[in-house]
Amino acid sequence: MAPLEPFERVYVSSKEFLNSTHNAQGCTFCHNGDGKATDMKKAHEGIIRSPDEKPDVCAQCHADIVNRFKTSLHMTASGMKQPLKERWNPDKTGDGPKELGGIFKGHCYSCHASCGDCHVNRPKGPAKGGLLAGHTFLKTPPEDMTCGICHSARAGDEFYGQNPGAPADTHVRLSGMVCLDCHKRENALHGTGTPLRDRYDNPLLPDCKECHKDVLQGNTTVEQHAIHGDRLQCNVCHSVIAKNCKNCHLEYKEEDGKITARFYKIDHSFMAFKIGRNYRNDRPYEYVVVRHAPTTPDLASAYGPNMMTGFNTVPTWKYAAPHNVQRLTPQNRSCDSCHGNAALFLRKEDIVPNELKANSRVIVEKIPQKTGREAGRK
Amino acid sequence: MKRRNCCRLNLVTAAVLLFLSSLLCLQQAKADSCADCHTNLEKLKSLAPALPEPPKKLSEGEG
């Protein structure tokens, strides 16, 4: 999606907004600045570009949602912060510009979403912001201009079949489903009221079995479901090749001892489908799909030596749910499409040497043996 | 008859209230000078070089 020109991003074109409750108090009520000034510079003094960054503005009317939203992963970006924190050197966890707090805020946290990033603006990231509909507050924003912008690299491109060699998810291909059909705003998007470690920590996460009740053990006519039961995450059989990040390096530019820009150096991603051993205690599975996270032992080495002394405590091949679900996949065509097929499993040789220790719990040492059976899905 | 008059009165009251509230909204929008520029695309375009840019964030490789 082409970014808007800077002047287009601040063009309030919506008459609906001008006559709405959200404009009843005037611009400066939310944005500050000097509403009486006629000089542009003076008018913008003290301006708040995104009033929802202090969410109490929204809370004046939407207190319940805002209070829950404060705990949501969209707001806290905890899914990025937690693994970083666990890997980080405990001596460098302060808020200084070259410590965990400052680095997280300057890099990862720039991807968090506030109320307006979905309901008023295009997200700041790749779309570079700008109003969605001339400043009208959209209760249900267009997914391609909101969810799809931030989550395009993995979930979005997977779901809509934008990755080479991977078809679109069957839920959109055959049923025309959209993000909100599974990711209900009351369950996940606005938070639960309890801080979460990451998205899999959410007890209200979408669950395939909510709709596909017939796959439950004892309630299935599919032999493979009865055999594997809860030992396999659904995606092990029903997802296909997906995007993996190779690494991520946090870099910065400094002038006169002050950091003037923070940026990333990232090698190109790669496509892979890997099954690893489940390392999460909150999941019953034995095998799960894993994908490589955007991290590396020297992630923050530009900021100094020994920044990630705990690197080996968290796997870099992480539990994943690729959003490209298919009924039939290369690995579920027959028993031995998967059993004995070493290429599907995460093995030592798939892992760069300096990440072997971090992934020791995920590596599949012993590939499930061939069965010799021809049975498979028709 | 009495009932019809009552309905008519309610309708008139509603219309007056609607008019007053939209007037109030317009008044609010015009209460500050922000709208003079931010609702005028041509004016914003002419001011474009002077528009403040968000702090630069460089990135290399693939996001």
Side-chain angles (χ1 to χ4, degrees):
Chain A
M1 180 178 295
L4 296 169
E5 292 293 334
F7 63 90
E8 290 174 312
R9 289 179 221 155
V10 292
Y11 173 42
V12 180
S13 61
S14 168
K15 288 196 170 49
E16 188 187 337
F17 164 71
L18 291 173
N19 294 318
S20 72
T21 314
H22 282 114
N23 188 43
Q25 306 286 341
C27 310
T28 52
F29 179 74
C30 294
H31 288 283
N32 286 5
D34 185 348
K36 304 285 177 218
T38 48
D39 171 64
M40 183 171 148
K41 202 174 168 192
K42 194 162 185 311
H44 288 93
E45 267 172 24
I47 202 91
I48 300 173
R49 285 171 184 273
S50 304
D52 54 354
E53 291 293 346
K54 45 171 196 180
D56 292 342
V57 168
C58 309
Q60 290 179 42
C61 293
H62 306 283
D64 175 49
I65 297 173
V66 170
N67 284 335
R68 275 189 291 125
F69 189 65
K70 284 176 184 171
T71 67
S72 82
L73 294 171
H74 278 123
M75 187 66 181
T76 63
S78 171
M80 288 184 274
K81 188 161 191 180
Q82 279 303 325
L84 205 58
K85 220 168 151 181
E86 284 165 35
R87 292 179 176 125
W88 212 256
N89 183 340
D91 295 335
K92 297 179 180 180
T93 51
D95 285 329
K98 294 184 183 176
E99 296 177 305
L100 177 63
I103 294 171
F104 176 73
K105 202 172 172 195
H107 286 281
C108 322
Y109 195 65
S110 60
C111 274
H112 86 289
S114 56
C115 310
D117 286 329
C118 292
H119 294 288
V120 185
N121 292 317
R122 297 172 174 207
K124 293 176 279 288
K128 295 189 188 299
L131 297 164
L132 278 172
H135 213 307
T136 293
F137 284 65
L138 302 172
K139 186 171 182 181
T140 305
E143 293 187 348
D144 60 332
M145 290 170 79
T146 48
C147 323
I149 288 176
C150 293
H151 297 281
S152 65
R154 289 183 287 191
D157 280 0
E158 284 160 13
F159 194 65
Y160 290 108
Q162 300 298 306
N163 288 327
D169 193 292
T170 191
H171 296 96
V172 66
R173 228 166 8 90
L174 300 182
S175 310
M177 287 171 69
V178 295
C179 311
L180 285 175
D181 286 326
C182 293
H183 298 276
K184 313 276 186 208
R185 55 172 77 82
E186 63 272 23
N187 289 358
L189 305 184
H190 286 160
T192 61
T194 307
L196 301 172
R197 187 200 131 84
D198 59 37
R199 61 185 174 279
Y200 301 114
D201 193 22
N202 185 352
L204 301 172
L205 200 68
D207 184 349
C208 312
K209 285 177 277 193
E210 280 173 27
C211 291
H212 300 280
K213 296 187 194 305
D214 58 336
V215 302
L216 292 168
Q217 258 183 314
N219 189 24
T220 179
T221 53
V222 180
E223 188 187 11
Q224 286 83 349
H225 289 159
I227 292 171
H228 295 110
D230 267 354
R231 291 177 63 215
L232 303 183
Q233 173 205 20
C234 304
N235 303 73
V236 168
C237 295
H238 292 289
S239 279
V240 293
I241 192 163
K243 193 179 273 185
N244 287 251
C245 293
K246 201 166 188 180
N247 53 38
C248 181
H249 297 97
L250 310 179
E251 307 270 337
Y252 65 94
K253 280 188 178 164
E254 197 169 23
E255 279 168 38
D256 302 326
K258 204 178 165 194
I259 293 177
T260 53
R262 299 191 196 250
F263 57 102
Y264 310 87
K265 279 190 177 163
I266 306 167
D267 284 328
H268 275 279
S269 57
F270 61 98
M271 296 293 288
F273 180 81
K274 289 290 171 189
I275 301 167
R277 295 194 77 83
N278 176 31
Y279 61 94
R280 292 187 67 108
N281 295 330
D282 55 1
R283 292 292 186 278
Y285 315 119
E286 188 175 341
Y287 293 102
V288 295
V289 175
V290 289
R291 71 163 122 209
H292 196 271
T295 190
T296 178
D298 57 353
L299 174 93
S301 57
Y303 285 95
N306 305 319
M307 299 300 279
M308 310 267 281
T309 48
F311 187 80
N312 291 331
T313 57
V314 186
T316 60
W317 283 87
K318 298 189 72 179
Y319 179 83
H323 280 48
N324 49 25
V325 168
Q326 313 293 325
R327 181 171 167 266
L328 288 177
T329 60
Q331 69 274 20
N332 76 12
R333 289 191 177 271
S334 70
C335 303
D336 289 341
S337 299
C338 183
H339 286 257
N341 185 355
L344 285 177
F345 294 87
L346 186 75
R347 294 161 299 160
K348 276 183 186 161
E349 48 268 47
D350 296 315
I351 299 170
V352 290
N354 59 357
E355 293 181 21
L356 273 172
K357 205 169 172 188
N359 293 292
S360 57
R361 289 178 287 161
V362 192
I363 294 169
V364 180
E365 300 275 3
K366 203 174 159 195
I367 308 298
Q369 283 185 333
K370 274 189 178 298
T371 64
R373 289 183 63 189
E374 290 301 317
R377 299 295 305 272
K378 299 287 184 296
Chain B
M1 185 71 178
K2 199 174 179 183
R3 196 170 165 194
R4 198 182 296 164
N5 276 343
C6 186
C7 287
R8 198 172 292 158
L9 190 66
N10 279 345
L11 276 174
V12 171
T13 313
V16 169
L17 282 176
L18 194 69
F19 174 74
L20 285 175
S21 64
S22 57
L23 203 67
L24 185 70
C25 284
L26 283 175
Q27 202 62 33
Q28 290 288 5
K30 289 189 179 297
D32 52 42
S33 56
C34 317
D36 294 346
C37 293
H38 284 273
T39 58
N40 185 337
L41 190 61
E42 285 309 311
K43 196 161 183 182
L44 283 173
K45 199 171 179 179
S46 71
L47 293 167
L51 281 178
E53 267 291 306
K56 285 227 169 353
K57 245 184 195 308
L58 309 174
S59 66
E60 296 174 18
E62 188 186 352

